């Protein structure tokens, strides 16, 4: 699925304030390498249902074994392994005897200490991977079995088999320390990198497994439809502490959602929740919803946080126009797209915005290869658009009681005509401050 950096930013998949990102929410990795691979996963949505289902399977199988996940491998373990290859150490005797080991330990005490410490961590690493291999060896899935077979192939080495058979025994004689140290340093470096990468992958998918269970995500069902569709029950925004759930259906016959409501009523949150749900589904991750079925999308684009560019002399409105233009050009390829637009043409006057918005919507609604969710304050334009059968109209209701705004955040059928800007200005004390000037 195609997605650009603007969309990833709009949906908070990644954010400058990392604590406010989906990446941070899902990050339960144990190692730096696992964290890096998790970042890679969240940057690379899958392009086929088969690939998505294999990722779903990987996460589900890891959820089954999560309570027996080996504790031997930590971030410190991998740091020690990598540091071992970077640290200058005096050459080891090729086949160390008791005397060789005694002399090496005597003459190279510091190097021996580093070697013994590192060998201990290598043993933990090998035994941890062997445990994972045994836990996953009969689990279904192309991706899992690829990793298992690679681990099995590397661990077939005689010295590694010796380590596995001795299990977690790290109380080694000096000659054995040097023999293992020589092997790990001079004959295991490339295999070690392969195994670290495999563990990073498993660590990242374990993170998604833990996150999915913690937040009660469910795995969506993908259907082989030529036409795009989304059917979501009890969708919620995963970054909110107390989210309100929504239900949404979009399909070829009803592919355009026209969303209205006052400021702070929940329009932007809803749009982002839809985008996050669809994006995570294409990662292969569980989604923040009770139930979800959807088609495979070729692309996801958003138009939520548009900014001006002072250095290029480009206004806010100009960049809004450019974003819409680029969107139209991309989705004209006949492929299946999901398009999210929050408040069209905020950068111009109301009359101009109404004309521009109507023109864009009149054009976009004719594209039945895409699904659209569009919010606007300009409820006046809805009247002329109601003649189009593929547009559905929903709004977020706001009540006023004693000059106080009450937001239910519930999605309702119809069109809002709330005009509450002045009330918000008054509630926040701005009117009183101005009166005192």
């Amino acid at each position: 699925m195609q997605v650009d950096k603007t969309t990833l930013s709009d949906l908070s998949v990644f954010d400058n304030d990392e604590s406010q990102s989906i990446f941070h929410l899902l990050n339960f990795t144990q190692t730096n390498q696992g964290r890096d691979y998790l970042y890679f996963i969240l940057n690379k949505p899958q392009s086929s249902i088969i690939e998505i289902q294999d990722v779903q399977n990987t996460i589900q199988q890891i959820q089954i074994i999560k309570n027996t996940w080996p504790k031997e491998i930590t971030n410190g373990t991998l740091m020690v392994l990598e540091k071992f290859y970077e640290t200058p150490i005096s050459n080891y005797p090729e086949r160390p005897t008791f005397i060789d080991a005694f002399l090496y330990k005597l003459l190279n005490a510091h190097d021996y200490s580093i070697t013994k410490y590192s060998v201990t961590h290598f043993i933990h690493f090998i035994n941890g991977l062997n445990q994972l291999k045994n836990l996953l060896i009969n689990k279904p899935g192309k991706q899992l079995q690829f990793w298992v077979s690679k681990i099995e192939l590397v661990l077939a080495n005689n010295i590694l088999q010796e380590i596995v058979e001795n299990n977690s025994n790290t109380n080694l004689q000096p000659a054995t320390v040097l023999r293992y140290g020589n092997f790990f340093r001079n004959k295991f470096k490339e295999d070690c990198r392969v195994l670290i990468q495999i563990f990073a992958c498993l660590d990242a998918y374990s993170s998604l497994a833990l996150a999915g269970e913690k937040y009660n995500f469910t795995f969506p069902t993908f259907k082989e439809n030529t036409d795009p569709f989304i059917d979501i029950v009890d969708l919620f925004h995963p970054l909110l502490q107390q989210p309100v759930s929504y239900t949404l259906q979009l399909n070829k016959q009803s592919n355009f959602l026209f969303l209205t409501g006052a400021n702070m009523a929940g329009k932007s949150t809803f749009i982002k929740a839809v985008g996050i749900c669809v994006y995570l589904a294409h990662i292969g991750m569980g989604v923040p919803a009770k139930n979800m079925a959807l088609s495979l999308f070729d692309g996801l684009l958003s138009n939520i946080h548009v900014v001006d560019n002072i250095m290029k002399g480009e206004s806010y409105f100009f960049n809004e126009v450019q974003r819409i233009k680029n969107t139209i050009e991309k989705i004209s390829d006949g492929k299946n797209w999901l398009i999210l637009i929050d408040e069209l043409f905020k950068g111009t006057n109301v009359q101009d915005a109404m004309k521009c918005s109507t023109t864009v919507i009149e054009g976009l609604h004719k594209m039945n290869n895409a699904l659209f969710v569009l919010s606007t304050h300009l409820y006046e334009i809805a009247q002329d658009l109601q003649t189009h059968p593929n547009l559905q109209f929903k709004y977020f209701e706001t009540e006023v009681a004693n000059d106080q705004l009450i937001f239910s955040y519930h999605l309702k059928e119809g069109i809002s005509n709330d005009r509450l800007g002045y009330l918000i200005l008054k509630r926040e004390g701005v009117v009183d401050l101005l009166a005192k000037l």
Side-chain angles (χ1 to χ4, degrees):
M1 182 172 73
Q2 298 179 52
V3 63
D4 59 14
K5 290 182 179 179
T6 299
T7 301
L8 292 177
S9 176
D10 281 347
L11 301 181
S12 299
V13 176
F14 306 104
D15 196 278
N16 290 332
D17 181 359
E18 189 177 283
S19 64
Q20 300 300 313
S21 69
I22 298 297
F23 173 76
H24 177 77
L25 184 80
L26 303 180
N27 183 21
F28 290 89
T29 54
Q30 301 174 29
T31 64
N32 293 336
Q33 292 86 345
R35 185 181 187 277
D36 291 343
Y37 195 74
L38 178 63
Y39 186 88
F40 171 79
I41 291 172
L42 291 182
N43 259 304
K44 189 178 180 296
Q46 303 297 325
S47 57
S48 76
I49 294 177
I50 291 176
E51 291 172 334
I52 291 170
Q53 289 173 337
D54 196 47
V55 174
Q56 288 181 346
N57 173 74
T58 297
I59 296 171
Q60 289 169 323
Q61 296 303 326
I62 290 176
Q63 285 176 337
I64 294 171
I65 66 164
K66 68 181 188 305
N67 293 329
T68 52
W69 190 268
K71 302 291 191 280
E72 288 88 347
I73 305 175
T74 65
N75 192 53
T77 305
L78 301 192
M79 289 176 67
V80 170
L81 268 55
E82 292 182 338
K83 190 69 175 176
F84 181 65
Y85 291 113
E86 298 169 0
T87 304
I89 292 177
S90 299
N91 292 334
Y92 304 115
E94 185 64 30
R95 293 181 176 81
T97 62
F98 174 83
I99 300 298
D100 293 330
F102 175 79
L103 292 174
Y104 188 94
K105 187 176 178 182
L106 180 67
L107 300 174
N108 303 281
H110 180 68
D111 291 350
Y112 179 81
S113 178
I114 291 173
T115 302
K116 184 177 181 181
Y117 183 72
S118 300
V119 164
T120 299
H121 283 80
F122 273 103
I123 291 173
H124 288 319
F125 181 59
I126 297 304
N127 282 315
L129 282 173
N130 188 59
Q131 288 180 52
L132 277 175
K133 180 204 74 174
N134 291 336
L135 287 168
L136 297 171
I137 196 164
N138 293 318
K139 301 293 184 183
K142 181 179 178 182
Q143 195 163 230
L144 278 177
Q145 288 312 305
F146 172 77
W147 292 327
V148 167
S149 63
K150 290 291 287 186
I151 294 171
E152 201 168 26
L153 182 64
V154 173
L155 295 191
N157 177 276
N158 290 336
I159 288 184
L160 299 181
Q161 281 299 301
E162 179 183 321
I163 290 171
V164 167
E165 288 168 8
N166 291 330
N167 201 3
S168 297
N169 180 22
T170 54
N171 186 22
L172 305 174
Q173 294 298 316
T176 305
V177 169
L178 294 185
R179 184 163 64 91
Y180 286 175
N182 185 49
F183 169 75
F184 288 132
R185 191 168 181 86
N186 298 313
K187 300 177 182 178
F188 187 64
K189 187 174 182 179
E190 290 307 314
D191 284 338
C192 184
R193 286 177 176 168
V194 169
L195 293 180
I196 287 175
Q197 182 57 40
I198 291 173
F199 184 79
C201 297
L202 290 167
D203 188 17
Y205 283 112
S206 173
S207 177
L208 295 180
L210 294 171
E213 290 208 339
K214 178 175 181 179
Y215 305 123
N216 295 315
F217 288 1
T218 57
F219 288 98
T221 300
F222 279 84
K223 296 186 178 179
E224 295 278 3
N225 277 42
T226 55
D227 298 321
F229 85 97
I230 298 172
D231 189 349
I232 315 176
V233 177
D234 289 346
L235 159 73
F236 62 93
H237 196 298
L239 293 177
L240 297 182
Q241 293 293 326
Q242 295 180 315
V244 174
S245 60
Y246 319 102
T247 293
L248 173 69
Q249 287 183 324
L250 290 169
N251 50 51
K252 185 177 181 180
Q253 291 71 37
S254 182
N255 72 320
F256 202 117
L257 174 59
F258 186 95
L259 188 63
T260 52
N263 280 318
M264 303 188 299
K267 300 189 302 297
S268 298
T269 299
F270 171 77
I271 290 174
K272 291 176 183 179
V274 173
I276 290 168
C277 203
V278 171
Y279 189 73
L280 289 181
H282 283 73
I283 293 295
M285 176 61 181
V287 298
K290 182 179 179 180
N291 205 340
M292 181 180 187
L294 72 163
S295 60
L296 186 72
F297 285 88
D298 298 296
L300 167 62
L301 285 177
S302 67
N303 187 330
I304 298 176
H305 298 300
V306 179
V307 296
D308 58 3
N309 191 321
I310 297 174
M311 299 301 293
K312 291 184 177 181
E314 296 172 353
S315 70
Y316 185 97
F317 177 71
F318 177 81
N319 282 330
E320 282 188 299
V321 172
Q322 290 301 308
R323 184 69 177 168
I324 290 295
K325 177 184 176 183
N326 292 338
T327 298
I328 295 169
E329 289 174 345
K330 282 194 172 184
I331 66 178
S332 297
D333 60 3
K335 296 181 179 179
N336 292 346
W337 289 82
L338 173 63
I339 308 301
L340 308 172
I341 302 174
D342 189 23
E343 300 293 349
L344 263 177
F345 303 120
K346 298 185 284 286
T348 188
N349 65 75
V350 174
Q351 293 302 318
D352 212 17
M354 289 174 61
K355 185 175 182 180
C356 292
S357 297
T358 301
T359 301
V360 168
I361 295 170
E362 288 283 4
L364 292 180
H365 91 89
K366 294 182 290 186
M367 306 189 73
N368 57 17
N369 64 299
L371 304 182
F372 300 90
V373 180
L374 179 145
S375 75
T376 181
H377 284 107
L378 308 173
Y379 70 87
E380 298 92 343
I381 68 176
Q383 184 173 356
D384 292 337
L385 296 172
Q386 286 180 299
T387 58
H388 303 306
N390 64 320
L391 265 69
Q392 51 178 300
F393 298 87
K394 295 182 184 291
Y395 73 101
F396 285 98
E397 184 181 47
T398 306
E399 296 181 5
V400 180
N402 300 320
D403 280 349
Q404 295 297 314
L405 298 175
I406 302 172
F407 300 108
S408 69
Y409 304 111
H410 291 149
L411 196 58
K412 297 192 172 184
E413 297 286 341
I415 301 164
S416 169
N417 60 0
D418 291 332
R419 295 295 193 185
L420 303 173
Y422 180 79
L423 182 58
I424 295 172
L425 199 71
K426 184 179 178 181
R427 189 191 69 171
E428 296 302 312
V430 177
V431 173
D432 290 339
L433 287 172
L434 290 171
K436 293 174 184 178
L437 293 178

